Amino acid sequence: MLHLIVSGDRTSQLALGGILFAFVVTVLATAKLGPYLPKDGGREFAHDGKLSAGKPRGAGIIFVLAFVMSAILFTPMNVEIFIYLLLVVVCMITGYLDDAARSPWGEVRKGFLDLCVAVLTAMNFLKFNSSKIELAFFHTWIDIPKWLFVILAVILVWVSVNVTNCSDGVDGLSGTLTIISLTTIYLLDRVLNVGRNFSFLILLFAACILGYLWYNATPSRLLMGDAGSRAMGLFISIAILKTNRPFLYIPVALVLILDGGLGLIKIFLLRFFRIRILTKVRTPLHDHVRKKWDWSNTQTVFRFAIIQILLAVSVVYGIGL
């Protein structure tokens, strides 16, 4: 919106102002509204889960709305981007309603809602973009049939939403890993000359998550809940789709995938095929390293982040060759 009244030679100042605005608004809004959020009851099966009992939960509603407001104010808007923002809000709201519910929503209900959001996201992307993708590192383009592209995109979005959600269990972990993944995608956008408008959205979202992390670093004052983790997962999947190289999602978000995804695989195989795997590995992995390897919360966040940063540097360097 503001770009309409700002001359072209001042767009860089406007961008800087947008990033600072997103961060400051998130920090101030979290400080003011955090105490009014629903309280966490403590997770019975999570390692040290009871330590979260009584803390405000669902802070994702604050930083997601701060992001959407910043995006509308500081980013050139079009129909595609507006629908993405709407879907992020929808994903956030479904997560927040679960956070605020007296009894957690069942897996079927949450999985179905995630599927609906994933389908709408895939259809919106295909409406404004082609189904032609590049195999990263091989510089080979493939024109995928639209029906197959929708199926694959739905799987990508659904997986991203759920593995990011499952990785949320240690103060600062999910937000930190999301910022690393989004920053990696932003750098890839710059290397690949992807459109600037959406790339700037990535920076705004990262700034809002940083504003949330101001209060979530160990020991945390509040928790993002499903309202934040599901919205972050959705936005990561949209950002990677916009690169036209969806397979880059694997290295760009590998720590999130392993941390949150192994538990989903274990449950799926056990429930539908009675197959037991990784019986000696506690999932999510952040619970395993804290309980079995005696890592502190801070060590878990830093070490997981270090691994993802190494992967990020390798991916950006490899794509730039």
Side-chain angles (χ1 to χ4, degrees):
M1 181 182 297
L2 293 179
H3 72 282
L4 296 175
I5 58 177
V6 175
S7 58
D9 59 344
R10 294 198 176 185
T11 54
S12 59
Q13 292 94 324
L14 181 64
L16 177 59
I19 294 170
L20 293 176
F21 176 86
F23 174 78
V24 172
V25 165
T26 304
V27 170
L28 295 178
T30 303
K32 293 293 185 181
L33 303 177
Y36 299 99
L37 295 171
K39 301 300 186 289
D40 190 83
R43 281 159 287 186
E44 181 179 355
F45 299 104
H47 180 66
D48 289 338
K50 292 299 181 182
L51 297 178
S52 299
K55 292 182 180 180
R57 182 185 183 190
I61 191 174
I62 298 174
F63 72 76
V64 169
L65 291 179
F67 160 67
V68 172
M69 179 173 64
S70 302
I72 293 174
L73 286 175
F74 293 94
T75 306
M77 198 59 52
N78 57 43
V79 175
E80 181 186 8
I81 290 179
F82 181 79
I83 294 176
Y84 288 140
L85 294 177
L86 182 61
L87 289 171
V88 169
V89 171
V90 168
C91 202
M92 176 271 292
I93 290 174
T94 60
Y96 181 79
L97 292 176
D98 185 24
D99 293 332
R102 292 185 177 182
S103 299
W105 287 7
E107 297 174 359
V108 174
R109 180 193 292 187
K110 291 191 289 188
F112 175 74
L113 291 172
D114 293 340
L115 180 62
C116 292
V117 170
V119 171
L120 292 173
T121 302
M123 293 176 63
N124 185 57
F125 178 85
L126 198 56
K127 171 69 176 178
F128 298 97
N129 304 270
S130 74
S131 60
K132 193 174 183 179
I133 66 171
E134 183 185 30
L135 296 179
F137 305 109
F138 296 99
H139 305 292
T140 301
W141 286 88
I142 300 176
D143 196 355
I144 300 178
K146 292 184 177 181
W147 64 268
L148 179 58
F149 182 90
V150 169
I151 293 175
L152 296 176
V154 167
I155 293 173
L156 169 62
V157 175
W158 192 91
V159 167
S160 183
V161 169
N162 282 276
V163 299
T164 307
N165 179 49
C166 291
S167 70
D168 182 30
V170 181
D171 292 344
L173 178 62
S174 185
T176 299
L177 291 176
T178 296
I179 288 174
I180 296 171
S181 294
L182 289 178
T183 303
T184 307
I185 297 172
Y186 174 80
L187 294 175
L188 291 173
D189 284 353
R190 300 276 53 82
V191 171
L192 299 169
N193 293 318
V194 177
R196 290 180 176 270
N197 290 347
F198 189 86
S199 296
F200 183 62
L201 284 180
I202 295 175
L203 296 182
L204 290 180
F205 202 10
C208 291
I209 299 173
L210 285 171
Y212 158 76
L213 289 177
W214 188 266
Y215 301 98
N216 187 244
T218 303
S220 64
R221 287 173 50 183
L222 77 174
L223 311 171
M224 71 168 65
D226 285 7
S229 58
R230 291 181 180 277
M232 292 192 310
L234 174 60
F235 191 78
I236 290 173
S237 66
I238 295 171
I240 204 69
L241 282 172
K242 291 295 291 181
T243 67
N244 295 118
R245 294 154 182 86
F247 290 106
L248 282 177
Y249 172 71
I250 296 174
V252 163
L254 185 60
V255 176
L256 283 171
I257 295 170
L258 294 177
D259 184 30
L262 286 179
L264 294 175
I265 294 174
K266 285 178 64 175
I267 293 172
F268 175 79
L269 292 177
L270 179 61
R271 181 168 299 176
F272 294 99
F273 299 100
R274 299 294 188 268
I275 298 176
R276 297 180 181 272
I277 63 170
L278 303 173
T279 55
K280 296 183 178 181
V281 177
R282 188 183 180 106
T283 54
L285 289 182
H286 61 249
D287 277 351
H288 182 86
V289 298
R290 290 187 297 163
K291 183 175 178 61
K292 301 294 186 180
W293 296 356
D294 294 322
W295 289 12
S296 68
N297 285 357
T298 302
Q299 287 174 324
T300 301
V301 174
F302 267 82
R303 289 171 178 172
F304 278 30
I306 288 170
I307 294 170
Q308 189 57 65
I309 289 171
L310 288 173
L311 289 168
V313 172
S314 301
V315 171
V316 173
Y317 177 78
I319 293 297
L321 290 177

